[in-house]
Amino acid sequence: MTKWLSTEQQQAWRGLMHLTSQLQTVLGRQLQDDYGISLADYEVLGRLHDGPGDGLRARDLGATLGWEQSRLSHQLSRMQRRGLVEREECLTDRRGATFRLTPAGRTAIEEAAPGHVEAVRTMVFDALSAEQVTHLAELTDTLVSHLAGADRTG
C-alpha cells in the first residue's frame, strides 16, 4: 500500500523540484549568454580545473558529478569537439581514458567562474540568512549522504 506524502511533504517536494528547475534554467542561460558554455560544460570544466594537474579518469569525473556513464561520454565528446577538453588513453587500463582541460577550456572556466559565482550569490545566498545557509548545507549533506547509502544498497 502506498504511503502518500503529507501536505507539508508535497509542498516541500514540489518546492524543491521547482527551485532546482528554475536555478538550472536561469544559471544555464546566464552561462550560455555571457560565456557561450552550458551549465553541464561549466560543471565538467570546474571539476577538471580543480582536479589534479594531470587530468581525471572519466570514471572518477563521472563519480564526482554523479552522472551516468552515457551522459558523461556524450558531454565529453561534445566538449572535445569544441576544443574545451582533451582525451588521453590510460596507459594502465586500455578501457580507461583521462580528460584534461585544453588552454581554451581553462580560459572558459576562468572567465566564467566570477560571473557564475556572482549569479549564484545573487539568486541564492543573498536571499538567505547565515543561519538559513547553515541549515541548507546540513539538509543537502544529509540528503546526499542518504542517497549515496541508498545507491549502495539498492
Side-chain angles (χ1 to χ4, degrees):
M1 175 148 187
T2 301
K3 182 179 175 186
W4 297 104
L5 299 178
S6 70
T7 302
E8 186 176 41
Q9 288 170 333
Q10 284 182 32
Q11 180 183 2
W13 175 246
R14 289 177 180 159
L16 179 61
M17 292 296 95
H18 186 70
L19 172 64
T20 56
S21 177
Q22 278 193 307
L23 281 173
Q24 287 184 353
T25 298
V26 173
L27 291 171
R29 187 178 313 122
Q30 179 262 336
L31 286 167
Q32 192 65 53
D33 291 350
D34 294 350
Y35 305 103
I37 61 173
S38 69
L39 188 55
D41 291 338
Y42 184 88
E43 290 185 60
V44 171
L45 292 170
R47 294 302 197 302
L48 291 174
H49 183 273
D50 296 343
D54 58 346
L56 283 172
R57 296 275 309 259
R59 69 173 183 217
D60 297 332
L61 181 57
T64 66
L65 293 164
W67 291 3
E68 295 290 330
Q69 193 254 335
S70 63
R71 177 182 181 195
L72 180 64
S73 178
H74 289 295
Q75 181 65 37
L76 288 170
S77 292
R78 286 189 296 270
M79 293 176 75
Q80 196 175 0
R81 284 191 301 271
R82 291 171 36 228
L84 297 172
V85 299
E86 59 188 5
R87 175 190 170 126
E88 182 176 289
E89 298 303 320
C90 181
L91 300 176
T92 59
D93 179 0
R94 299 177 110 183
R95 296 171 295 160
T98 299
F99 286 85
R100 65 179 45 83
L101 294 175
T102 62
R106 182 166 304 283
T107 298
I109 190 66
E110 290 176 355
E111 287 180 354
H116 180 69
V117 168
E118 186 59 35
V120 169
R121 180 175 305 287
T122 299
M123 288 179 231
V124 178
F125 296 106
D126 286 354
L128 301 174
S129 69
E131 184 179 356
Q132 289 173 315
V133 171
T134 299
H135 289 309
L136 179 61
E138 291 169 352
L139 289 169
T140 56
D141 285 349
T142 298
L143 289 170
V144 167
S145 295
H146 177 72
L147 288 174
D151 193 36
R152 284 192 298 272
T153 61

PDB file of all heavy atoms in Angstrom, residues 5-6 19 22 40 48 52-53 59 61 75-76 87-88 100 114 122 131 144-145 150 154:
ATOM      1  N   LEU A   5       2.493  11.227   0.410  1.00  0.00           N
ATOM      2  CA  LEU A   5       3.144  12.357   1.072  1.00  0.00           C
ATOM      3  C   LEU A   5       2.103  13.200   1.797  1.00  0.00           C
ATOM      4  O   LEU A   5       0.993  13.393   1.300  1.00  0.00           O
ATOM      5  CB  LEU A   5       3.877  13.230   0.049  1.00  0.00           C
ATOM      6  CG  LEU A   5       4.993  12.559  -0.750  1.00  0.00           C
ATOM      7  CD1 LEU A   5       5.581  13.553  -1.745  1.00  0.00           C
ATOM      8  CD2 LEU A   5       6.070  12.001   0.150  1.00  0.00           C
ATOM      9  N   SER A   6       2.507  13.730   2.936  1.00  0.00           N
ATOM     10  CA  SER A   6       1.635  14.667   3.649  1.00  0.00           C
ATOM     11  C   SER A   6       1.567  15.965   2.850  1.00  0.00           C
ATOM     12  O   SER A   6       2.368  16.194   1.928  1.00  0.00           O
ATOM     13  CB  SER A   6       2.186  14.942   5.047  1.00  0.00           C
ATOM     14  OG  SER A   6       3.383  15.705   4.957  1.00  0.00           O
ATOM     15  N   LEU A  19      12.400  24.806  -7.523  1.00  0.00           N
ATOM     16  CA  LEU A  19      13.620  25.575  -7.271  1.00  0.00           C
ATOM     17  C   LEU A  19      14.781  25.065  -8.116  1.00  0.00           C
ATOM     18  O   LEU A  19      15.463  25.856  -8.779  1.00  0.00           O
ATOM     19  CB  LEU A  19      13.996  25.509  -5.787  1.00  0.00           C
ATOM     20  CG  LEU A  19      15.356  26.101  -5.414  1.00  0.00           C
ATOM     21  CD1 LEU A  19      15.387  27.600  -5.685  1.00  0.00           C
ATOM     22  CD2 LEU A  19      15.679  25.789  -3.968  1.00  0.00           C
ATOM     23  N   GLN A  22      14.237  25.926 -11.806  1.00  0.00           N
ATOM     24  CA  GLN A  22      14.452  27.351 -12.082  1.00  0.00           C
ATOM     25  C   GLN A  22      15.928  27.722 -12.021  1.00  0.00           C
ATOM     26  O   GLN A  22      16.419  28.456 -12.875  1.00  0.00           O
ATOM     27  CB  GLN A  22      13.673  28.206 -11.087  1.00  0.00           C
ATOM     28  CG  GLN A  22      12.229  28.381 -11.431  1.00  0.00           C
ATOM     29  CD  GLN A  22      11.626  29.485 -10.591  1.00  0.00           C
ATOM     30  OE1 GLN A  22      11.725  29.475  -9.361  1.00  0.00           O
ATOM     31  NE2 GLN A  22      11.000  30.442 -11.248  1.00  0.00           N
ATOM     32  N   ALA A  40      26.252  22.235 -17.889  1.00  0.00           N
ATOM     33  CA  ALA A  40      26.981  20.962 -17.879  1.00  0.00           C
ATOM     34  C   ALA A  40      28.452  21.178 -18.242  1.00  0.00           C
ATOM     35  O   ALA A  40      29.339  20.576 -17.621  1.00  0.00           O
ATOM     36  CB  ALA A  40      26.330  19.968 -18.831  1.00  0.00           C
ATOM     37  N   LEU A  48      37.481  19.510 -13.681  1.00  0.00           N
ATOM     38  CA  LEU A  48      38.809  19.321 -14.262  1.00  0.00           C
ATOM     39  C   LEU A  48      39.776  20.412 -13.801  1.00  0.00           C
ATOM     40  O   LEU A  48      40.943  20.131 -13.526  1.00  0.00           O
ATOM     41  CB  LEU A  48      38.733  19.279 -15.789  1.00  0.00           C
ATOM     42  CG  LEU A  48      38.045  18.046 -16.373  1.00  0.00           C
ATOM     43  CD1 LEU A  48      37.893  18.203 -17.884  1.00  0.00           C
ATOM     44  CD2 LEU A  48      38.800  16.773 -16.028  1.00  0.00           C
ATOM     45  N   PRO A  52      43.421  17.169 -10.125  1.00  0.00           N
ATOM     46  CA  PRO A  52      44.883  17.097 -10.260  1.00  0.00           C
ATOM     47  C   PRO A  52      45.324  17.596 -11.630  1.00  0.00           C
ATOM     48  O   PRO A  52      44.588  17.485 -12.602  1.00  0.00           O
ATOM     49  CB  PRO A  52      45.190  15.600 -10.083  1.00  0.00           C
ATOM     50  CG  PRO A  52      43.897  14.901 -10.356  1.00  0.00           C
ATOM     51  CD  PRO A  52      42.794  15.857 -10.021  1.00  0.00           C
ATOM     52  N   GLY A  53      46.517  18.127 -11.705  1.00  0.00           N
ATOM     53  CA  GLY A  53      47.023  18.727 -12.938  1.00  0.00           C
ATOM     54  C   GLY A  53      47.132  17.783 -14.110  1.00  0.00           C
ATOM     55  O   GLY A  53      47.127  18.211 -15.258  1.00  0.00           O
ATOM     56  N   ARG A  59      35.887   7.764 -15.335  1.00  0.00           N
ATOM     57  CA  ARG A  59      35.057   7.169 -14.281  1.00  0.00           C
ATOM     58  C   ARG A  59      35.071   8.012 -13.008  1.00  0.00           C
ATOM     59  O   ARG A  59      34.064   8.128 -12.329  1.00  0.00           O
ATOM     60  CB  ARG A  59      35.469   5.731 -14.000  1.00  0.00           C
ATOM     61  CG  ARG A  59      36.814   5.611 -13.355  1.00  0.00           C
ATOM     62  CD  ARG A  59      37.129   4.194 -12.933  1.00  0.00           C
ATOM     63  NE  ARG A  59      38.417   4.185 -12.260  1.00  0.00           N
ATOM     64  CZ  ARG A  59      39.295   3.232 -12.356  1.00  0.00           C
ATOM     65  NH1 ARG A  59      39.041   2.176 -13.075  1.00  0.00           N
ATOM     66  NH2 ARG A  59      40.430   3.315 -11.714  1.00  0.00           N
ATOM     67  N   LEU A  61      35.658  11.304 -12.887  1.00  0.00           N
ATOM     68  CA  LEU A  61      34.931  12.521 -13.220  1.00  0.00           C
ATOM     69  C   LEU A  61      33.424  12.276 -13.120  1.00  0.00           C
ATOM     70  O   LEU A  61      32.688  13.061 -12.527  1.00  0.00           O
ATOM     71  CB  LEU A  61      35.316  12.995 -14.620  1.00  0.00           C
ATOM     72  CG  LEU A  61      34.671  14.277 -15.125  1.00  0.00           C
ATOM     73  CD1 LEU A  61      34.941  15.448 -14.194  1.00  0.00           C
ATOM     74  CD2 LEU A  61      35.163  14.577 -16.533  1.00  0.00           C
ATOM     75  N   GLN A  75      28.682  14.217 -23.150  1.00  0.00           N
ATOM     76  CA  GLN A  75      29.112  15.566 -22.779  1.00  0.00           C
ATOM     77  C   GLN A  75      30.588  15.771 -23.121  1.00  0.00           C
ATOM     78  O   GLN A  75      30.969  16.784 -23.709  1.00  0.00           O
ATOM     79  CB  GLN A  75      28.863  15.806 -21.291  1.00  0.00           C
ATOM     80  CG  GLN A  75      29.246  17.197 -20.819  1.00  0.00           C
ATOM     81  CD  GLN A  75      28.415  18.291 -21.440  1.00  0.00           C
ATOM     82  OE1 GLN A  75      27.228  18.126 -21.659  1.00  0.00           O
ATOM     83  NE2 GLN A  75      29.032  19.422 -21.719  1.00  0.00           N
ATOM     84  N   LEU A  76      31.419  14.805 -22.761  1.00  0.00           N
ATOM     85  CA  LEU A  76      32.849  14.929 -23.046  1.00  0.00           C
ATOM     86  C   LEU A  76      33.128  14.939 -24.544  1.00  0.00           C
ATOM     87  O   LEU A  76      34.011  15.677 -25.008  1.00  0.00           O
ATOM     88  CB  LEU A  76      33.621  13.804 -22.357  1.00  0.00           C
ATOM     89  CG  LEU A  76      33.725  13.917 -20.836  1.00  0.00           C
ATOM     90  CD1 LEU A  76      34.284  12.630 -20.242  1.00  0.00           C
ATOM     91  CD2 LEU A  76      34.558  15.130 -20.428  1.00  0.00           C
ATOM     92  N   ARG A  87      41.336  14.246 -24.574  1.00  0.00           N
ATOM     93  CA  ARG A  87      41.306  12.875 -24.079  1.00  0.00           C
ATOM     94  C   ARG A  87      42.664  12.231 -24.301  1.00  0.00           C
ATOM     95  O   ARG A  87      43.287  12.411 -25.341  1.00  0.00           O
ATOM     96  CB  ARG A  87      40.237  12.099 -24.831  1.00  0.00           C
ATOM     97  CG  ARG A  87      40.191  10.646 -24.499  1.00  0.00           C
ATOM     98  CD  ARG A  87      39.286   9.901 -25.461  1.00  0.00           C
ATOM     99  NE  ARG A  87      39.452   8.487 -25.241  1.00  0.00           N
ATOM    100  CZ  ARG A  87      38.465   7.654 -24.988  1.00  0.00           C
ATOM    101  NH1 ARG A  87      37.232   8.078 -24.977  1.00  0.00           N
ATOM    102  NH2 ARG A  87      38.703   6.382 -24.780  1.00  0.00           N
ATOM    103  N   GLU A  88      43.070  11.462 -23.308  1.00  0.00           N
ATOM    104  CA  GLU A  88      44.300  10.697 -23.424  1.00  0.00           C
ATOM    105  C   GLU A  88      44.006   9.284 -22.940  1.00  0.00           C
ATOM    106  O   GLU A  88      43.385   9.098 -21.887  1.00  0.00           O
ATOM    107  CB  GLU A  88      45.385  11.330 -22.558  1.00  0.00           C
ATOM    108  CG  GLU A  88      46.720  10.636 -22.647  1.00  0.00           C
ATOM    109  CD  GLU A  88      47.763  11.377 -21.831  1.00  0.00           C
ATOM    110  OE1 GLU A  88      48.166  12.478 -22.250  1.00  0.00           O
ATOM    111  OE2 GLU A  88      48.154  10.841 -20.772  1.00  0.00           O
ATOM    112  N   ARG A 100      41.526  16.138 -19.636  1.00  0.00           N
ATOM    113  CA  ARG A 100      42.104  17.347 -19.034  1.00  0.00           C
ATOM    114  C   ARG A 100      41.638  18.557 -19.825  1.00  0.00           C
ATOM    115  O   ARG A 100      41.188  18.437 -20.962  1.00  0.00           O
ATOM    116  CB  ARG A 100      43.616  17.266 -18.971  1.00  0.00           C
ATOM    117  CG  ARG A 100      44.322  17.230 -20.299  1.00  0.00           C
ATOM    118  CD  ARG A 100      45.838  17.164 -20.176  1.00  0.00           C
ATOM    119  NE  ARG A 100      46.320  16.219 -19.214  1.00  0.00           N
ATOM    120  CZ  ARG A 100      46.484  14.909 -19.425  1.00  0.00           C
ATOM    121  NH1 ARG A 100      46.212  14.407 -20.598  1.00  0.00           N
ATOM    122  NH2 ARG A 100      46.936  14.127 -18.492  1.00  0.00           N
ATOM    123  N   PRO A 114      33.887  33.851 -12.183  1.00  0.00           N
ATOM    124  CA  PRO A 114      33.471  35.011 -11.377  1.00  0.00           C
ATOM    125  C   PRO A 114      32.003  35.413 -11.617  1.00  0.00           C
ATOM    126  O   PRO A 114      31.269  35.685 -10.662  1.00  0.00           O
ATOM    127  CB  PRO A 114      34.430  36.126 -11.814  1.00  0.00           C
ATOM    128  CG  PRO A 114      35.635  35.400 -12.321  1.00  0.00           C
ATOM    129  CD  PRO A 114      35.096  34.162 -12.982  1.00  0.00           C
ATOM    130  N   THR A 122      23.752  36.044  -5.931  1.00  0.00           N
ATOM    131  CA  THR A 122      22.574  36.901  -6.078  1.00  0.00           C
ATOM    132  C   THR A 122      21.283  36.102  -5.993  1.00  0.00           C
ATOM    133  O   THR A 122      20.335  36.502  -5.309  1.00  0.00           O
ATOM    134  CB  THR A 122      22.636  37.650  -7.429  1.00  0.00           C
ATOM    135  OG1 THR A 122      23.808  38.468  -7.437  1.00  0.00           O
ATOM    136  CG2 THR A 122      21.418  38.522  -7.644  1.00  0.00           C
ATOM    137  N   GLU A 131      22.113  31.731   9.172  1.00  0.00           N
ATOM    138  CA  GLU A 131      21.536  30.535   9.791  1.00  0.00           C
ATOM    139  C   GLU A 131      20.838  29.659   8.734  1.00  0.00           C
ATOM    140  O   GLU A 131      20.958  28.429   8.764  1.00  0.00           O
ATOM    141  CB  GLU A 131      20.533  30.935  10.869  1.00  0.00           C
ATOM    142  CG  GLU A 131      19.951  29.764  11.629  1.00  0.00           C
ATOM    143  CD  GLU A 131      18.984  30.181  12.720  1.00  0.00           C
ATOM    144  OE1 GLU A 131      18.810  31.394  12.954  1.00  0.00           O
ATOM    145  OE2 GLU A 131      18.398  29.271  13.331  1.00  0.00           O
ATOM    146  N   VAL A 144      22.261  14.060   0.400  1.00  0.00           N
ATOM    147  CA  VAL A 144      23.277  13.467  -0.464  1.00  0.00           C
ATOM    148  C   VAL A 144      23.821  12.182   0.173  1.00  0.00           C
ATOM    149  O   VAL A 144      23.984  11.160  -0.499  1.00  0.00           O
ATOM    150  CB  VAL A 144      24.416  14.480  -0.772  1.00  0.00           C
ATOM    151  CG1 VAL A 144      25.625  13.797  -1.390  1.00  0.00           C
ATOM    152  CG2 VAL A 144      23.896  15.572  -1.685  1.00  0.00           C
ATOM    153  N   SER A 145      24.084  12.206   1.472  1.00  0.00           N
ATOM    154  CA  SER A 145      24.559  11.008   2.172  1.00  0.00           C
ATOM    155  C   SER A 145      23.524   9.901   2.140  1.00  0.00           C
ATOM    156  O   SER A 145      23.847   8.730   1.928  1.00  0.00           O
ATOM    157  CB  SER A 145      24.911  11.334   3.623  1.00  0.00           C
ATOM    158  OG  SER A 145      25.996  12.207   3.677  1.00  0.00           O
ATOM    159  N   ALA A 150      21.586   4.767  -0.184  1.00  0.00           N
ATOM    160  CA  ALA A 150      20.517   4.058  -0.895  1.00  0.00           C
ATOM    161  C   ALA A 150      21.037   3.491  -2.205  1.00  0.00           C
ATOM    162  O   ALA A 150      20.645   2.404  -2.625  1.00  0.00           O
ATOM    163  CB  ALA A 150      19.348   5.003  -1.168  1.00  0.00           C
ATOM    164  N   GLY A 154      20.658  -0.447  -3.023  1.00  0.00           N
ATOM    165  CA  GLY A 154      19.567  -0.819  -3.905  1.00  0.00           C
ATOM    166  C   GLY A 154      19.858  -0.693  -5.311  1.00  0.00           C
ATOM    167  O   GLY A 154      19.310  -1.141  -6.205  1.00  0.00           O
TER     168      GLY A 154
END
